[in-house]
Each structure stands twice: as structure tokens, then as C-alpha cells.
């Protein structure tokens, strides 16, 4: 079967670092996506990993291990505006996205 | 604005009503999607149109009827819905060329409440 697992909710402090994990099991694999969704808004694309390793993009980094079926999103120097849901999605052999339920990140002052 | 516009943003309807959701994209993308988003559940793909041709229909009940008149517009026609159909309906578009990353651009969604 196809499955994406990520924590339901996480809490972190402004200025700190947080790591959101995602494990996936899909029919074929063509890459791993992270999206950010603020309440009442559209999900927006954050990152795409298809090769093993870490991709850094400003305060956000995304890591992929294909052999372990594992990814994480790392957010540094947290700001209040980072409070949002973070959606993990794996792209299967048909280039369709299999989505996790999302991780709601709460940032406290 | 993301380049994908959905209307209406909010809709309340009775089970016997007929309504439609509209989506428009100005990004030159060739694929458009309807997703259902329910609280604490993964996004559920409902329909995919690639070059105006429907390529995916994930066993969606017939009370949901999609229409794609051209590559920029997508509709979701609703009739005799059930209360469990209450959810956020997201439209998305992408440029599908078979080369790899299929990055979706989403609209802000239409929040549907069925009474």
C-alpha cells in the first residue's frame, strides 16, 4: 500500500530550530515534496528532493534518504509567521502525489 | 494571489441544491486538479485534467461532476451532496512534461458546508 506518515502537531519557540519528519511508502518514487499551508490559504511549494542529501534554501532545508523512505524539513531561526501546516507528499511512478495529513506547527514567543 | 483563482471562497448549500465551484489559472499550465481537504486528513485527489482530457477519477461519487472547457478553466458541479461532503475543495494546476518534478500551484480553496 501507499502511506505517508508525519506528526500531527509540533510546538517550537521563536528563534529556535525545528525538524519535521516524514516517512513514506509508495508505488515507485519520483521525488518528495514539502508544502506550507497557512490557515485559510493555499498550500505553497517549499521544496522538492529526488536525490539523497540535504537541500538548503534560506532558513528552510529539506533532507531525503531514499533507502530509508525518510525525509525531514528543517526550519531555522523560527519566526511567528512560520506557524502553519507543513504537508509532505511523495510522487509515485505515475507522477501523482501521495499526501500526508500534514503537521501543524505552533510557534510560541 | 498564487495565479490560481477559486470562486466562491465559501459556499453553504442544502442537500437538494445544485451549485458549481470555479477555478481559473493564468500560469500557462497544461494540467488542472481538484482535491478535497478534510481536517486532519491527507489531501484526496478527485480529478485530474491533462490538456483538457480527464486522466484520473479516483472513484469519486457521481454527485461531483467536473468540467474542463479549456486548459485555463475548471469547474466542479455539485448536486445532491451529503453532509460528509463538507470540506475545503482545492484546485491546483501544474506543467506536466514528464521530466520530473510536478510542482502544483494551488488556489486558496472553496470552503463547502452541506446542511
Amino acid at each position: 500500500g501507499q502511506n505517508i506518515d508525519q506528526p500531527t502537531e509540533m510546538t517550537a519557540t521563536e528563534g529556535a530550530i525545528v525538524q519535521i519528519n516524514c516517512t513514506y511508502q509508495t508505488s515507485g518514487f519520483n521525488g518528495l515534496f514539502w508544502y506550507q499551508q497557512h490557515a485559510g490559504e493555499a498550500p505553497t511549494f517549499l521544496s522538492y528532493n529526488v536525490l539523497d542529501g540535504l537541500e538548503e534554501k534560506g532558513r528552510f532545508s529539506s533532507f531525503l534518504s531514499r533507502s530509508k523512505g525518510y525525509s525531514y524539513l528543517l526550519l531555522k531561526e523560527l519566526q511567528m509567521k512560520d506557524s502553519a501546516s507543513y504537508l509532505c507528499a511523495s510522487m509515485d511512478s505515475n507522477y501523482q502525489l501521495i499526501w500526508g495529513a500534514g503537521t501543524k506547527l505552533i510557534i510560541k514567543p | 494571489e498564487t495565479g490560481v483563482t477559486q470562486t466562491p471562497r465559501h459556499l453553504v448549500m442544502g442537500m437538494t441544491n445544485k451549485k458549481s465551484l470555479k477555478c481559473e489559472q493564468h500560469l500557462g499550465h497544461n494540467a488542472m486538479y481538484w482535491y478535497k481537504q478534510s481536517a486532519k486528513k491527507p489531501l484526496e485527489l478527485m480529478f485530474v485534467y491533462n490538456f483538457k482530457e480527464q486522466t484520473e477519477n479516483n472513484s469519486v461519487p457521481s454527485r461531483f461532476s467536473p468540467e474542463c472547457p479549456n486548459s485555463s478553466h475548471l469547474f466542479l458541479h455539485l448536486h445532491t451532496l451529503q453532509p460528509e461532503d463538507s470540506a475545503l475543495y482545492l484546485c491546483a494546476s501544474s506543467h506536466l512534461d514528464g521530466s520530473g518534478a510536478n510542482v502544483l500551484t494551488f488556489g486558496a480553496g472553496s470552503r463547502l458546508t452541506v446542511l
Side-chain angles (χ1 to χ4, degrees):
Chain A
Q2 307 201 99
N3 194 48
I4 307 288
D5 282 319
Q6 56 181 129
T8 303
E9 187 173 299
M10 298 181 71
T11 302
T13 305
E14 190 177 15
I17 299 174
V18 71
Q19 177 175 311
I20 303 174
N21 297 323
C22 172
T23 57
Y24 63 90
Q25 185 176 5
T26 53
S27 302
F29 179 76
N30 277 307
L32 194 290
F33 291 80
W34 285 96
Y35 280 77
Q36 180 191 60
Q37 186 179 22
H38 286 100
E41 298 183 14
T44 55
F45 170 75
L46 287 178
S47 67
Y48 169 69
N49 294 65
V50 66
L51 300 176
D52 285 356
L54 187 68
E55 297 266 350
E56 297 187 65
K57 196 183 292 185
R59 295 189 298 113
F60 292 9
S61 302
S62 55
F63 172 83
L64 177 67
S65 169
R66 294 177 66 134
S67 62
K68 295 181 179 178
Y70 167 69
S71 173
Y72 67 72
L73 182 69
L74 190 71
L75 292 76
K76 302 176 184 176
E77 302 169 18
L78 286 170
Q79 301 175 11
M80 298 303 293
K81 67 179 183 180
D82 297 329
S83 292
S85 287
Y86 291 86
L87 311 179
C88 173
S90 172
M91 188 160 62
D92 68 12
S93 55
N94 294 318
Y95 294 95
Q96 294 302 325
L97 294 175
I98 311 301
W99 295 85
T103 299
K104 182 178 181 180
L105 178 63
I106 299 168
I107 309 297
K108 295 186 175 179
Chain B
E1 285 294 333
T2 62
V4 178
T5 303
Q6 290 187 243
T7 54
R9 292 294 310 275
H10 299 274
L11 179 63
V12 179
M13 59 188 290
M15 289 190 285
T16 58
N17 292 159
K18 288 185 180 180
K19 297 286 184 183
S20 296
L21 306 181
K22 179 182 176 182
C23 177
E24 188 173 351
Q25 60 98 0
H26 301 285
L27 301 170
H29 288 164
N30 58 7
M32 296 188 75
Y33 309 76
W34 279 116
Y35 279 93
K36 177 183 180 181
Q37 187 174 38
S38 302
K40 299 184 179 180
K41 289 185 177 180
L43 287 175
E44 298 175 46
L45 178 63
M46 300 175 71
F47 300 102
V48 179
Y49 277 84
N50 189 353
F51 290 105
K52 300 188 299 176
E53 300 289 326
Q54 184 175 308
T55 59
E56 192 92 16
N57 174 352
N58 287 329
S59 302
V60 179
S62 60
R63 57 186 184 268
F64 294 92
S65 175
E67 179 189 358
C68 188
N70 55 61
S71 57
S72 298
H73 294 84
L74 185 64
F75 296 88
L76 188 63
H77 303 300
L78 317 169
H79 63 97
T80 59
L81 293 190
Q82 304 298 310
E84 60 263 30
D85 297 323
S86 298
L88 181 68
Y89 288 84
L90 290 166
C91 174
S93 69
S94 72
H95 182 67
L96 271 179
D97 60 9
S99 65
N102 181 19
V103 179
L104 302 183
T105 301
F106 285 89
S110 294
R111 173 69 62 186
L112 174 66
T113 302
V114 181
L115 301 177

